[in-house]
């Protein structure tokens, strides 16, 4: 598969539609005029230097590219947080959403998110290629289910593969975030952390602020993007879909 080399395309779009994509990345607004519909979210993240999100298979099979997307449910306003495979997510399909990558929830030189801290503390990472995927999958799940049990957390990893650490240390780390975790019964081996460098951990899962996102009563915009060999339409109504089909 040949990879597109630029994020935007200079091809003309239809004036009935907006050609501006607006989304938020780790809390910062991103505006892109006429994004190329061939670009996947992983391409974009690496283009802007967010290399924490890895690409293992680029086919939706390994989970290394997992990030969290958040939005307000249309008409209701309830916050939705979902773990998605960024290698399958077109950049054009992010309008009005917040994307959170592993860089957006914690940093070693600042404070780690509990999901990042736990996987490291329990030796759940070796080459580290799968680690951001496990972290973001767990993080998104805990956003929606803060009272998750050990079993419920264990059950979410069907889409995350690890080729070198083995799953036991990963599960040992992640189960410490469960509401029924019993520290007194835990004999699993912990990592001996370098005493010359203190690594801090947040007290709870990083809160994702969706205040900047469009509120649920703001109607979605009709979007049209044109790139080499591909066009992207997002009609905002059923009438718009019918009219496109007719055209
Ligand atoms: Fe393997 Fe995305 S890179 S699922
Ligand atoms: Fe190497 Fe999981 S730590 S693939």
């Amino acid at each position: 598969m040949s990879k597109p080399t630029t994020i935007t395309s200079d091809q003309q779009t239809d004036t009935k539609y907006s050609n501006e994509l607006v989304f938020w990345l780790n809390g910062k607004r991103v505006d892109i005029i006429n994004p190329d519909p061939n670009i996947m979210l992983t391409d974009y993240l690496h283009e802007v230097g967010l290399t924490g999100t890895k690409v293992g298979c680029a086919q939706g099979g390994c989970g290394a590219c997992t990030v969290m997307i958040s939005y307000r449910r249309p008409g209701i306003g309830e916050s939705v947080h979902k773990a998605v495979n960024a290698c399958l997510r077109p950049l054009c399909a992010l309008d009005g959403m917040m994307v959170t990558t592993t860089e957006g929830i914690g940093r070693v030189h600042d404070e780690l998110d509990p999901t990042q801290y736990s996987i490291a503390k329990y030796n759940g990472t070796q080459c580290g290629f799968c680690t951001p995927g496990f972290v973001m999958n767990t993080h998104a799940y805990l956003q929606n289910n803060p009272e998750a049990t050990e079993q419920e957390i264990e059950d979410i990893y069907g889409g995350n593969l690890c080729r070198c650490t083995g799953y036991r240390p990963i599960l040992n780390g992640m189960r410490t975030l469960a509401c029924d975790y019993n520290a007194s019964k835990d004999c699993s081996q912990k990592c001996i952390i370098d005493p010359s460098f203190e690594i801090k951990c947040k007290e709870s899962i990083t809160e994702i602020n969706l205040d900047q996102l469009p509120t649920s009563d703001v109607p979605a915009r009709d979007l049209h993007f044109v790139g080499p060999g591909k066009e992207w339409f997002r009609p905002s109504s059923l009438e718009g879909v019918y009219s496109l089909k007719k055209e």
Side-chain angles (χ1 to χ4, degrees), residues 163-209:
R163 294 296 186 208
C164 58
T165 295
Y167 296 96
R168 180 44 56 198
I170 296 172
L171 295 175
N172 284 345
M174 292 313 197
R175 70 181 176 154
T176 64
L177 306 167
C179 69
D180 57 349
Y181 168 68
N182 185 342
S184 64
K185 289 193 179 159
D186 186 357
C187 347
S188 48
Q189 201 180 359
K190 298 174 195 64
C191 178
I192 299 165
I193 292 176
D194 182 354
S196 65
F197 177 37
E198 189 193 358
I199 298 176
K200 294 189 191 142
C201 176
K202 297 177 188 178
E203 283 187 5
S204 54
I205 296 291
T206 311
E207 203 178 315
I208 303 299
N209 186 344

Side-chain angles (χ1 to χ4, degrees), residues 7 9 19 39 76 116 120 123 149 153 156 159 189 197 201 234:
I7 300 301
S9 161
N19 69 349
I39 294 274
I76 304 172
Q116 296 169 319
N123 299 302
T149 63
I153 291 177
I156 65 174
Q189 201 180 359
F197 177 37
C201 176
R234 186 189 73 179

Side-chain angles (χ1 to χ4, degrees), residues 7-222:
I7 300 301
T8 57
S9 161
D10 53 10
Q11 300 196 30
Q12 291 302 305
T13 54
D14 191 325
T15 49
K16 276 191 297 184
Y17 298 84
S18 169
N19 69 349
E20 184 188 20
L21 174 73
V22 181
F23 66 99
W24 285 259
L25 178 57
N26 293 333
K28 291 199 183 122
R29 179 176 163 134
V30 178
D31 293 67
I32 303 176
I33 301 298
N34 200 32
D36 181 347
N38 296 290
I39 294 274
M40 292 295 151
L41 176 54
T42 40
D43 300 326
Y44 179 76
L45 293 175
H46 292 178
E47 182 89 12
V48 299
L50 294 176
T51 52
T53 304
K54 306 296 185 223
V55 178
C57 65
Q59 293 180 341
C62 73
C65 63
T66 307
V67 299
M68 181 171 76
I69 57 165
S70 310
Y71 54 91
R72 292 208 177 88
R73 204 179 287 287
I76 304 172
E78 171 203 5
S79 300
V80 179
H81 303 282
K82 281 186 179 168
V84 300
N85 289 331
C87 71
L88 296 182
R89 185 83 185 184
L91 183 65
C92 293
L94 293 173
D95 194 71
M97 297 179 177
M98 173 80 75
V99 178
T100 306
T101 66
T102 188
E103 293 93 339
I105 60 170
R107 289 155 40 92
V108 171
H109 293 284
D110 186 5
E111 274 185 320
L112 290 178
D113 185 82
T115 51
Q116 296 169 319
Y117 190 85
S118 304
I119 202 167
K121 184 174 171 187
Y122 283 80
N123 299 302
T125 180
Q126 201 173 139
C127 78
F129 212 75
C130 69
T131 311
F134 274 97
V135 162
M136 291 315 298
N137 190 12
T138 314
H139 181 89
Y141 188 73
L142 292 174
Q143 288 282 349
N144 293 321
N145 306 280
E147 298 299 313
T149 63
E150 286 189 27
Q151 188 61 56
E152 285 167 342
I153 291 177
E154 183 164 336
D155 289 346
I156 65 174
Y157 300 123
N160 291 93
L161 303 183
C162 175
R163 294 296 186 208
C164 58
T165 295
Y167 296 96
R168 180 44 56 198
I170 296 172
L171 295 175
N172 284 345
M174 292 313 197
R175 70 181 176 154
T176 64
L177 306 167
C179 69
D180 57 349
Y181 168 68
N182 185 342
S184 64
K185 289 193 179 159
D186 186 357
C187 347
S188 48
Q189 201 180 359
K190 298 174 195 64
C191 178
I192 299 165
I193 292 176
D194 182 354
S196 65
F197 177 37
E198 189 193 358
I199 298 176
K200 294 189 191 142
C201 176
K202 297 177 188 178
E203 283 187 5
S204 54
I205 296 291
T206 311
E207 203 178 315
I208 303 299
N209 186 344
L210 300 186
D211 287 354
Q212 305 170 74
L213 266 56
T215 50
S216 59
D217 52 350
V218 175
R221 296 169 304 137
D222 291 308

